[in-house]
Each structure stands twice: as C-alpha cells, then as structure tokens.
C-alpha cells in the first residue's frame, strides 16, 4: 500500500459498551485519529472519558435493556425492537456528522443501519474470530477443533443443518427490522456483516483455512480482511511483580464470567508449591470468600495487561478474545479455561494453533490446572509458537492496516473528505 498522506476523512465508529467490543473500536479510533482523521465514537457513557482522552469525539450510544432482568424499572425490549429504536436514534447523528464512512461493531447494528438509511458507506469490525465458517467447520462457540478426516468433515456438515435454520430465522427477523426502517431485505445470512468491508481483528493463525474467495492460506472474499488484534485498555497503575527468576505465571480471569472465582481459586491452590512465580488478579470483583495466597504468589485487584504480560511466561485465563490475543501478542503461552460460548471457540482455536493448552471448564481443578501449566511451560513448541505469533503482531500493525482499509473504502465510494 502507498505511504502517501491520506485524504482527511470524517468517520463515525459505533460499538456497544461491553469491553470486548468497545475496546477494539477505541483502538481503531485511536489509529484513525493518529492518521489525521476526524473520528467520533458512539458507545456507552461509561467510556466517555477514555474515548475523549484518545483524541476522539464522543457520542452517547442508545442503551436499552434487551433481556429481562427480573428487577424493577422499564420493561425489556425484544432485541430487534431495540435495534429499531437505536437506529432511529442514531440517524440524526449520521445526518449531523455526515461521515465519509461508518464502522460498526458486529453486534452493534444501529450505526450500520443508520448509515444505510443515509446512504453512507459502512464497514464492520469483527473483534474476534470470524463467526461464519465453511460448511464443514465445527459449530461456532461449541469449542470443537477443525476436523482432520473426511468422516469428521461429513459429520460437521450434517450438524450444521439446524444452525443454518437458525441463521435463516435470523435473516428473516433482521429483514423485518430492515423493512420497518425502509431498507431492502437481504438475501444472505449474517446481514450485520458489511459486504463493503469487514475487518476481522484477530490473529490469522487463529482462523481456520478457507477454500474460496481470495488467495493465500486463508481464502477470504475481497472485502474481508484479517487485520490482526486491535488492542486497547484503560490506564492502570503499575504493580510490583513477585520476586525471583522462576517462570512468571499471570492468572487473568474474565471480568464478566466466573463470579465464584473458580479459576482463580484453582490456580492459587494448584500452583501453591509449583516452581513458578504467580501473579493473580481478581479484577475488582470481590471474591465471595477469602482467597488463599501462597508464598510464591501475589494477589492484586487489577493488572495492566499491556505492561505486565511482556514480563510473563504464561497466562492462565478464560479465553476471552481480548485477553487471549494480548497474551499471544506478548509472546506468552496460554492455558485457556473457557467459561462460556465464544470462549470455548477461542480456546479451541488456541489449541489448534499450537500456542497453548485448553482445559475445559468441566475438568477444572487445582491438580488439573497445575498439569496444564506444566505442560504449557514444558513444551518448547508451544512457547515457540506463542513467540512466533508475537513476532507477527510486531511486524503487522493492525491499527495501520485497518485504517488504510477504511480509507480505501472511502476512496472507492467517492467520499470527498475534509478540506484542510
């Protein structure tokens, strides 16, 4: 790609406020702003201070309760009913900003639909592995690895049939929503993913090989690009690492799952007398009971992953995508103990890529966790693979690649850009 100074653009980004979706979008916004673009990010109010600190404009995203909580307050909305309201609320923002391109998170449909209503080109940011695979891929989020035999691939083709029925139902429901907004129906599933530009913000080493559409080992269509992980985190203070020169193991549980701290407790107990230094965090979610802290461990309330993981040899986590790719980008082997859904998928991809060890939740215990840590630290191939992926991340700037692709979409669609 050319290194010429890009035409300055006005861009609108949109992501709902879950960290796994808001943080990659903040990273993208920061990269675009660094290239001189006028960037506004629409997300939840809780991130306003951080968004503005990165030099981005902030717009509050509509926040609706979509699923019943059982508590007092306003009634919940059906998901697509909430999408209709949020899209209508976002159209005035698009009209006011008149952006050259809108980039929407894969689960944040309102900015994309508002862009369509106003005739603005739009792109999708997928902040994890691509959810739509080949017909013989394992069912997404089930946690199964890619089949190695013809019989296995045949089994998955059969197993995918009910999934396809579910996708068709989703297409019909989205088309009903589009009709209410005055938009034409889609003939394809996964209508929330742009066919103008889709940015897949993960390691290509975590994507199963595809057979059609493009060139290279991952054969994507011409408008889908695996750009590498887009990473951002809120500012945090430095913490003191445990003393010594033994391997440093970081226990980094999910901030949203495992309210009983099963993973943290298993690590503190299982690695208590292991020949490692243990740094563990409870991520500002108070444990329901006091946790045992062995002599080789330090327990803290919060850790900056970007500043701590470069010092670590191994990361134990639930395999949330942000934590997983941060560990791999720092060259750490990973022990993944998935808690739910997409974490199962991430752990399977890690295992398939050879950069870590997967320990399913049903098998989690102090003894088994220790065995998994010993396996990951003791296997030179796993540690070498993690270092290889870190090298890839250093050589491939995901923010730069994503920015150039967004700029290319604006240029292809004839957007005039901003005057100097």
């Amino acid at each position: 790609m050319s290194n010429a100074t890009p035409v300055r653009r006005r861009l609108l980004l949109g992501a709902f406020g879950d960290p796994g979706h808001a943080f990659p979008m903040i990273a993208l916004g920061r990269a675009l702003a660094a290239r001189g673009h006028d960037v506004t990010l629409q997300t939840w109010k809780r991130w306003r201070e951080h968004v503005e600190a990165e030099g981005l404009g902030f717009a509050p995203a509509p926040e609706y309760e979509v699923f019943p909580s059982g508590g007092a307050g306003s009634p919940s909305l059906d998901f697509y009913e909430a999408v209709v309201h949020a899209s209508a609320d976002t159209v005035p923002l698009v009209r006011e900003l008149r952006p050259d391109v809108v980039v929407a998170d894969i689960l944040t449909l309102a900015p994309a639909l508002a862009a369509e209503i106003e005739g603005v080109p739009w792109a999708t940011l997928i902040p994890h592995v691509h959810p739509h695979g080949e017909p013989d891929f394992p069912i997404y989020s089930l946690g199964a690895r890619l089949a190695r035999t013809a019989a296995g691939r045949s089994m998955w083709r059969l197993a995918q049939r009910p999934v396809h029925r579910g996708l068709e139902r989703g297409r019909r429901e989205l088309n009903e929503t589009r009709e209410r907004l005055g938009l034409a129906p889609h003939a394809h599933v996964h209508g929330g993913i742009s066919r103008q530009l889709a940015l897949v913000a993960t390691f290509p080493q975590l994507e199963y090989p595809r057979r059609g559409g493009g060139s290279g080992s991952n054969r994507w269509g011409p408008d889908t690009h695996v750009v590498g992980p887009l990473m951002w985190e809120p500012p945090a203070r430095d913490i003191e690492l445990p003393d010594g020169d033994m391997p440093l193991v970081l226990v980094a549980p999910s901030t949203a799952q495992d309210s009983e701290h099963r993973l943290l407790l298993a690590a503190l107990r299982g690695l208590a007398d292991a020949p490692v230094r243990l740094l563990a965090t409870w991520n500002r979610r108070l444990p329901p009971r006091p946790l045992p802290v062995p002599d080789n461990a330090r327990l803290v309330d919060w850790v900056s992953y970007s500043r701590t993981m470069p010092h670590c040899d191994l990361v134990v986590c639930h395999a949330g995508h942000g934590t997983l790719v941060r560990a791999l980008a720092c060259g750490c082997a990973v022990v993944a103990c998935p808690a739910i859904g997409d974490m199962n998928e991430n752990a399977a991809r890690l295992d398939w890529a050879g950069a870590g060890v997967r320990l399913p939740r049903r098998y989690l215990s102090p003894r088994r966790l220790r065995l998994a840590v010993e396996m990951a630290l003791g296997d030179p191939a796993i540690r070498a693979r993690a270092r290889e992926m870190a090298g890839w991340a250093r050589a491939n700037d995901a923010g730069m690649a994503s920015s150039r692709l967004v700029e290319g979409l604006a240029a292809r669609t004839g957007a005039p850009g901003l005057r100097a």
Side-chain angles (χ1 to χ4, degrees), residues 250-269:
L250 172 65
V251 183
S254 167
T255 56
Q257 305 297 330
D258 194 12
S259 60
E260 296 295 314
H261 289 283
R262 285 185 58 203
L263 176 59
L264 184 56
L265 188 59
L268 291 170
R269 288 176 173 169

PDB file of all heavy atoms in Angstrom, residues 250-269:
ATOM      1  N   LEU A 250       0.780 -15.426  35.018  1.00  0.00           N
ATOM      2  CA  LEU A 250      -0.275 -14.462  35.314  1.00  0.00           C
ATOM      3  C   LEU A 250      -1.622 -15.159  35.234  1.00  0.00           C
ATOM      4  O   LEU A 250      -1.938 -15.799  34.231  1.00  0.00           O
ATOM      5  CB  LEU A 250      -0.236 -13.304  34.319  1.00  0.00           C
ATOM      6  CG  LEU A 250      -1.409 -12.311  34.384  1.00  0.00           C
ATOM      7  CD1 LEU A 250      -1.422 -11.568  35.720  1.00  0.00           C
ATOM      8  CD2 LEU A 250      -1.359 -11.322  33.223  1.00  0.00           C
ATOM      9  N   VAL A 251      -2.421 -15.031  36.291  1.00  0.00           N
ATOM     10  CA  VAL A 251      -3.794 -15.542  36.279  1.00  0.00           C
ATOM     11  C   VAL A 251      -4.705 -14.352  36.036  1.00  0.00           C
ATOM     12  O   VAL A 251      -4.800 -13.447  36.860  1.00  0.00           O
ATOM     13  CB  VAL A 251      -4.151 -16.242  37.601  1.00  0.00           C
ATOM     14  CG1 VAL A 251      -5.556 -16.832  37.522  1.00  0.00           C
ATOM     15  CG2 VAL A 251      -3.129 -17.332  37.929  1.00  0.00           C
ATOM     16  N   ALA A 252      -5.351 -14.352  34.865  1.00  0.00           N
ATOM     17  CA  ALA A 252      -6.128 -13.202  34.388  1.00  0.00           C
ATOM     18  C   ALA A 252      -7.557 -13.632  34.101  1.00  0.00           C
ATOM     19  O   ALA A 252      -7.921 -13.885  32.948  1.00  0.00           O
ATOM     20  CB  ALA A 252      -5.470 -12.615  33.145  1.00  0.00           C
ATOM     21  N   PRO A 253      -8.406 -13.735  35.125  1.00  0.00           N
ATOM     22  CA  PRO A 253      -9.774 -14.214  34.903  1.00  0.00           C
ATOM     23  C   PRO A 253     -10.614 -13.216  34.129  1.00  0.00           C
ATOM     24  O   PRO A 253     -10.278 -12.030  34.015  1.00  0.00           O
ATOM     25  CB  PRO A 253     -10.319 -14.391  36.334  1.00  0.00           C
ATOM     26  CG  PRO A 253      -9.151 -14.247  37.252  1.00  0.00           C
ATOM     27  CD  PRO A 253      -8.146 -13.410  36.525  1.00  0.00           C
ATOM     28  N   SER A 254     -11.729 -13.704  33.610  1.00  0.00           N
ATOM     29  CA  SER A 254     -12.691 -12.844  32.923  1.00  0.00           C
ATOM     30  C   SER A 254     -13.265 -11.816  33.891  1.00  0.00           C
ATOM     31  O   SER A 254     -13.465 -12.097  35.076  1.00  0.00           O
ATOM     32  CB  SER A 254     -13.820 -13.703  32.347  1.00  0.00           C
ATOM     33  OG  SER A 254     -14.912 -12.902  31.950  1.00  0.00           O
ATOM     34  N   THR A 255     -13.540 -10.608  33.356  1.00  0.00           N
ATOM     35  CA  THR A 255     -14.199  -9.589  34.171  1.00  0.00           C
ATOM     36  C   THR A 255     -15.716  -9.765  34.189  1.00  0.00           C
ATOM     37  O   THR A 255     -16.401  -9.069  34.936  1.00  0.00           O
ATOM     38  CB  THR A 255     -13.868  -8.188  33.633  1.00  0.00           C
ATOM     39  OG1 THR A 255     -14.241  -8.123  32.255  1.00  0.00           O
ATOM     40  CG2 THR A 255     -12.379  -7.898  33.762  1.00  0.00           C
ATOM     41  N   ALA A 256     -16.242 -10.678  33.367  1.00  0.00           N
ATOM     42  CA  ALA A 256     -17.693 -10.824  33.255  1.00  0.00           C
ATOM     43  C   ALA A 256     -18.200 -12.196  33.675  1.00  0.00           C
ATOM     44  O   ALA A 256     -19.376 -12.347  34.002  1.00  0.00           O
ATOM     45  CB  ALA A 256     -18.133 -10.546  31.813  1.00  0.00           C
ATOM     46  N   GLN A 257     -17.351 -13.214  33.655  1.00  0.00           N
ATOM     47  CA  GLN A 257     -17.772 -14.567  33.941  1.00  0.00           C
ATOM     48  C   GLN A 257     -17.116 -15.063  35.237  1.00  0.00           C
ATOM     49  O   GLN A 257     -16.253 -14.411  35.807  1.00  0.00           O
ATOM     50  CB  GLN A 257     -17.409 -15.499  32.781  1.00  0.00           C
ATOM     51  CG  GLN A 257     -17.938 -15.058  31.428  1.00  0.00           C
ATOM     52  CD  GLN A 257     -19.455 -15.035  31.363  1.00  0.00           C
ATOM     53  OE1 GLN A 257     -20.131 -15.814  32.038  1.00  0.00           O
ATOM     54  NE2 GLN A 257     -20.004 -14.157  30.530  1.00  0.00           N
ATOM     55  N   ASP A 258     -17.552 -16.240  35.708  1.00  0.00           N
ATOM     56  CA  ASP A 258     -16.930 -16.914  36.858  1.00  0.00           C
ATOM     57  C   ASP A 258     -17.033 -16.075  38.134  1.00  0.00           C
ATOM     58  O   ASP A 258     -16.031 -15.725  38.758  1.00  0.00           O
ATOM     59  CB  ASP A 258     -15.468 -17.240  36.538  1.00  0.00           C
ATOM     60  CG  ASP A 258     -14.851 -18.232  37.522  1.00  0.00           C
ATOM     61  OD1 ASP A 258     -15.604 -18.842  38.319  1.00  0.00           O
ATOM     62  OD2 ASP A 258     -13.622 -18.392  37.508  1.00  0.00           O
ATOM     63  N   SER A 259     -18.258 -15.763  38.520  1.00  0.00           N
ATOM     64  CA  SER A 259     -18.472 -14.931  39.709  1.00  0.00           C
ATOM     65  C   SER A 259     -17.969 -15.581  40.985  1.00  0.00           C
ATOM     66  O   SER A 259     -17.687 -14.897  41.976  1.00  0.00           O
ATOM     67  CB  SER A 259     -19.969 -14.599  39.855  1.00  0.00           C
ATOM     68  OG  SER A 259     -20.731 -15.791  39.988  1.00  0.00           O
ATOM     69  N   GLU A 260     -17.838 -16.900  40.988  1.00  0.00           N
ATOM     70  CA  GLU A 260     -17.343 -17.618  42.165  1.00  0.00           C
ATOM     71  C   GLU A 260     -15.824 -17.713  42.195  1.00  0.00           C
ATOM     72  O   GLU A 260     -15.254 -18.277  43.122  1.00  0.00           O
ATOM     73  CB  GLU A 260     -17.946 -19.032  42.201  1.00  0.00           C
ATOM     74  CG  GLU A 260     -19.462 -19.061  42.375  1.00  0.00           C
ATOM     75  CD  GLU A 260     -19.884 -18.514  43.724  1.00  0.00           C
ATOM     76  OE1 GLU A 260     -19.268 -18.908  44.736  1.00  0.00           O
ATOM     77  OE2 GLU A 260     -20.811 -17.689  43.749  1.00  0.00           O
ATOM     78  N   HIS A 261     -15.169 -17.181  41.163  1.00  0.00           N
ATOM     79  CA  HIS A 261     -13.701 -17.199  41.079  1.00  0.00           C
ATOM     80  C   HIS A 261     -13.133 -18.619  41.130  1.00  0.00           C
ATOM     81  O   HIS A 261     -12.100 -18.872  41.763  1.00  0.00           O
ATOM     82  CB  HIS A 261     -13.086 -16.350  42.186  1.00  0.00           C
ATOM     83  CG  HIS A 261     -13.295 -14.877  41.987  1.00  0.00           C
ATOM     84  ND1 HIS A 261     -12.576 -14.123  41.084  1.00  0.00           N
ATOM     85  CD2 HIS A 261     -14.173 -14.011  42.573  1.00  0.00           C
ATOM     86  CE1 HIS A 261     -12.983 -12.859  41.139  1.00  0.00           C
ATOM     87  NE2 HIS A 261     -13.948 -12.766  42.025  1.00  0.00           N
ATOM     88  N   ARG A 262     -13.775 -19.533  40.413  1.00  0.00           N
ATOM     89  CA  ARG A 262     -13.292 -20.918  40.396  1.00  0.00           C
ATOM     90  C   ARG A 262     -11.899 -21.022  39.797  1.00  0.00           C
ATOM     91  O   ARG A 262     -11.044 -21.759  40.308  1.00  0.00           O
ATOM     92  CB  ARG A 262     -14.258 -21.797  39.596  1.00  0.00           C
ATOM     93  CG  ARG A 262     -15.565 -22.151  40.278  1.00  0.00           C
ATOM     94  CD  ARG A 262     -16.351 -23.126  39.413  1.00  0.00           C
ATOM     95  NE  ARG A 262     -15.581 -24.339  39.136  1.00  0.00           N
ATOM     96  CZ  ARG A 262     -15.803 -25.144  38.099  1.00  0.00           C
ATOM     97  NH1 ARG A 262     -16.745 -24.850  37.219  1.00  0.00           N
ATOM     98  NH2 ARG A 262     -15.074 -26.227  37.929  1.00  0.00           N
ATOM     99  N   LEU A 263     -11.662 -20.307  38.699  1.00  0.00           N
ATOM    100  CA  LEU A 263     -10.352 -20.383  38.055  1.00  0.00           C
ATOM    101  C   LEU A 263      -9.265 -19.803  38.956  1.00  0.00           C
ATOM    102  O   LEU A 263      -8.190 -20.402  39.117  1.00  0.00           O
ATOM    103  CB  LEU A 263     -10.389 -19.629  36.722  1.00  0.00           C
ATOM    104  CG  LEU A 263      -9.064 -19.540  35.969  1.00  0.00           C
ATOM    105  CD1 LEU A 263      -8.523 -20.931  35.644  1.00  0.00           C
ATOM    106  CD2 LEU A 263      -9.220 -18.723  34.688  1.00  0.00           C
ATOM    107  N   LEU A 264      -9.533 -18.663  39.542  1.00  0.00           N
ATOM    108  CA  LEU A 264      -8.553 -18.025  40.419  1.00  0.00           C
ATOM    109  C   LEU A 264      -8.228 -18.922  41.612  1.00  0.00           C
ATOM    110  O   LEU A 264      -7.059 -19.106  41.986  1.00  0.00           O
ATOM    111  CB  LEU A 264      -9.099 -16.677  40.882  1.00  0.00           C
ATOM    112  CG  LEU A 264      -8.201 -15.801  41.740  1.00  0.00           C
ATOM    113  CD1 LEU A 264      -6.879 -15.524  41.052  1.00  0.00           C
ATOM    114  CD2 LEU A 264      -8.912 -14.492  42.087  1.00  0.00           C
ATOM    115  N   LEU A 265      -9.252 -19.490  42.221  1.00  0.00           N
ATOM    116  CA  LEU A 265      -9.054 -20.367  43.380  1.00  0.00           C
ATOM    117  C   LEU A 265      -8.268 -21.619  42.988  1.00  0.00           C
ATOM    118  O   LEU A 265      -7.351 -22.043  43.708  1.00  0.00           O
ATOM    119  CB  LEU A 265     -10.417 -20.754  43.962  1.00  0.00           C
ATOM    120  CG  LEU A 265     -10.410 -21.506  45.290  1.00  0.00           C
ATOM    121  CD1 LEU A 265      -9.717 -20.697  46.374  1.00  0.00           C
ATOM    122  CD2 LEU A 265     -11.846 -21.834  45.718  1.00  0.00           C
ATOM    123  N   ALA A 266      -8.594 -22.216  41.840  1.00  0.00           N
ATOM    124  CA  ALA A 266      -7.874 -23.408  41.391  1.00  0.00           C
ATOM    125  C   ALA A 266      -6.400 -23.097  41.151  1.00  0.00           C
ATOM    126  O   ALA A 266      -5.520 -23.907  41.469  1.00  0.00           O
ATOM    127  CB  ALA A 266      -8.508 -23.953  40.118  1.00  0.00           C
ATOM    128  N   ALA A 267      -6.108 -21.913  40.610  1.00  0.00           N
ATOM    129  CA  ALA A 267      -4.720 -21.542  40.355  1.00  0.00           C
ATOM    130  C   ALA A 267      -3.954 -21.312  41.649  1.00  0.00           C
ATOM    131  O   ALA A 267      -2.808 -21.769  41.810  1.00  0.00           O
ATOM    132  CB  ALA A 267      -4.677 -20.297  39.478  1.00  0.00           C
ATOM    133  N   LEU A 268      -4.553 -20.602  42.587  1.00  0.00           N
ATOM    134  CA  LEU A 268      -3.877 -20.323  43.848  1.00  0.00           C
ATOM    135  C   LEU A 268      -3.597 -21.602  44.634  1.00  0.00           C
ATOM    136  O   LEU A 268      -2.559 -21.722  45.294  1.00  0.00           O
ATOM    137  CB  LEU A 268      -4.708 -19.351  44.683  1.00  0.00           C
ATOM    138  CG  LEU A 268      -4.798 -17.916  44.136  1.00  0.00           C
ATOM    139  CD1 LEU A 268      -5.843 -17.119  44.898  1.00  0.00           C
ATOM    140  CD2 LEU A 268      -3.439 -17.226  44.208  1.00  0.00           C
ATOM    141  N   ARG A 269      -4.504 -22.540  44.539  1.00  0.00           N
ATOM    142  CA  ARG A 269      -4.296 -23.808  45.247  1.00  0.00           C
ATOM    143  C   ARG A 269      -3.378 -24.753  44.464  1.00  0.00           C
ATOM    144  O   ARG A 269      -2.464 -25.362  45.033  1.00  0.00           O
ATOM    145  CB  ARG A 269      -5.645 -24.481  45.509  1.00  0.00           C
ATOM    146  CG  ARG A 269      -6.475 -23.788  46.585  1.00  0.00           C
ATOM    147  CD  ARG A 269      -7.845 -24.432  46.737  1.00  0.00           C
ATOM    148  NE  ARG A 269      -8.568 -23.865  47.882  1.00  0.00           N
ATOM    149  CZ  ARG A 269      -9.860 -24.078  48.120  1.00  0.00           C
ATOM    150  NH1 ARG A 269     -10.588 -24.828  47.275  1.00  0.00           N
ATOM    151  NH2 ARG A 269     -10.436 -23.538  49.180  1.00  0.00           N
TER     152      ARG A 269
END
